[in-house]
């Protein structure tokens, strides 16, 4: 009898994240066992506050267990993320997912490490062509320039960038997507934050008819396909 493989989600905030696991379970069912680890799990409030971004540092937005939203320095979060990845390895995870679309190329693992930043890149590249216009959504003002440069370097034209926290309702954002002529003229919509999931996808799909890329929904399908290939080999 085959043992159910474990998928570890390593969040940049605290766990549990029922929004993330609910989307995963909706797609994958009981095909995997889920392990959740958070970079900020069990850290005292003072240490978390000390990770706030300083002038010139790239910022990330994260959710704490009590629902509070905090802003973090990308670079200074790396050691905390690596520690949780190591723990996921020790726990026997077959795959480890970094639950953030930021650039975490510095992280390493002896197990397959899924980086949403890379998965978005390849997914968009498999559907759109060089020069296509994009609408991109990021969660902080500090990520606007970074996202614009990142997608431009990948060969696309970034026509519009919205700043929207993923932890709120999307009514205003959805209205903006619907009524903005620039958005409607683009060839793809990128939710460049792992916090966006099925609720955003369902709402956006009602007002935007071009491809929508949500890494939190792409990854489960990728894992199901990978698991199927392993079963056949």
């Amino acid at each position: 009898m085959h043992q159910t493989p474990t998928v570890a989600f390593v969040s940049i905030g605290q766990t549990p994240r029922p929004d993330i696991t609910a989307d995963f379970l909706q797609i994958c069912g009981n095909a995997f066992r889920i392990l959740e680890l958070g970079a900020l799990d069990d850290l005292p409030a003072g240490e978390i506050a000390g990770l706030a971004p300083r002038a010139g540092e790239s910022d990330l937005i994260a959710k704490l267990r009590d629902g509070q939203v905090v802003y973090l320095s990308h670079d200074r979060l790396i050691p905390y993320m690596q520690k949780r990845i190591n723990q996921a390895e020790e726990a026997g995870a077959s795959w480890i997912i970094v639950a953030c679309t930021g650039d975490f190329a510095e992280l390493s693992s002896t197990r397959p490490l899924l980086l949403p930043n890379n998965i978005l890149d390849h997914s968009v590249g498999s559907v759109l062509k060089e020069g296509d216009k994009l609408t991109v959504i990021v969660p902080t003002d500090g990520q606007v320039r970074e996202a614009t440069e990142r997608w431009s370097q990948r060969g696309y034209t970034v026509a519009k960038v919205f700043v929207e926290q993923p932890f709120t309702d999307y009514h205003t954002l959805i209205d903006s997507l619907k009524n903005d002529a620039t958005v409607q003229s683009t060839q793809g919509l990128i939710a460049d934050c792992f916090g966006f999931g099925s609720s955003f996808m369902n709402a956006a799909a009602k007002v935007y008819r071009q491809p929508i890329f949500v890494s939190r929904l792409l990854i489960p399908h990728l894992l199901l396909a990978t698991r199927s290939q392993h079963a056949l080999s």
Side-chain angles (χ1 to χ4, degrees):
M1 185 175 180
H2 293 292
Q3 184 177 1
T4 303
T6 296
V7 172
F9 284 90
V10 178
S11 301
I12 62 174
Q14 291 180 331
T15 59
R17 284 293 302 276
D19 55 330
I20 291 177
T21 55
D23 277 344
F24 189 83
L25 289 169
Q26 185 177 18
I27 296 169
C28 294
N30 60 358
F32 304 94
R33 187 174 76 88
I34 295 175
L35 172 64
E36 290 189 85
L37 298 165
L40 307 183
D41 281 353
D42 305 321
L43 292 188
E47 190 169 355
I48 294 174
L51 291 171
R54 300 165 185 157
E57 289 185 322
S58 296
D59 64 345
L60 298 170
I61 187 171
K63 195 174 186 180
L64 303 185
R65 193 171 293 119
D66 62 5
Q68 180 184 355
V69 173
V70 295
Y71 294 87
L72 306 165
S73 162
H74 177 282
D75 290 344
R76 285 184 287 122
L77 190 68
I78 295 292
Y80 295 85
M81 294 290 287
Q82 187 63 61
K83 178 181 178 181
R84 300 308 183 193
I85 288 172
N86 297 345
Q87 290 178 344
E89 292 177 350
E90 293 167 5
S94 298
W95 293 275
I96 301 173
I97 300 168
V98 172
C100 178
T101 62
D103 184 358
F104 283 98
E106 307 97 325
L107 297 176
S108 62
S109 175
T110 60
R111 307 293 171 86
L113 185 64
L114 280 68
L115 301 175
N117 179 48
N118 295 343
I119 290 168
L120 273 178
D121 181 15
H122 293 296
S123 298
V124 174
S126 69
V127 176
L128 303 185
K129 64 184 184 300
E130 185 175 348
D132 277 351
K133 294 184 293 182
L134 301 179
T135 297
V136 181
I137 304 170
V138 296
T140 73
D141 291 323
Q143 293 182 27
V144 172
R145 181 177 59 82
E146 295 173 9
T148 302
E149 291 178 354
R150 179 165 62 249
W151 289 105
S152 296
Q153 289 169 1
R154 290 169 175 169
Y156 307 103
T157 300
V158 179
K160 191 87 174 187
V161 180
F162 287 95
V163 177
E164 180 77 18
Q165 284 193 20
F167 312 121
T168 59
D169 68 66
Y170 308 118
H171 295 152
T172 301
L173 174 61
I174 297 303
D175 284 343
S176 297
L177 296 177
K178 178 181 180 180
N179 298 314
D180 191 305
T182 298
V183 169
Q184 294 298 325
S185 72
T186 58
Q187 282 76 53
L189 171 62
I190 316 294
D192 207 338
C193 173
F194 204 78
F196 292 101
S198 58
S199 60
F200 166 76
M201 180 72 167
N202 293 337
K206 294 177 180 178
V207 302
Y208 185 82
R209 300 303 181 187
Q210 300 299 324
I212 302 171
F213 300 88
V214 179
S215 62
R216 200 160 99 187
L217 304 181
L218 291 168
I219 287 175
H221 291 290
L222 176 63
L223 282 174
L224 281 177
T226 301
R227 188 172 189 262
S228 298
Q229 289 298 316
H230 283 187
L232 292 172
S233 60

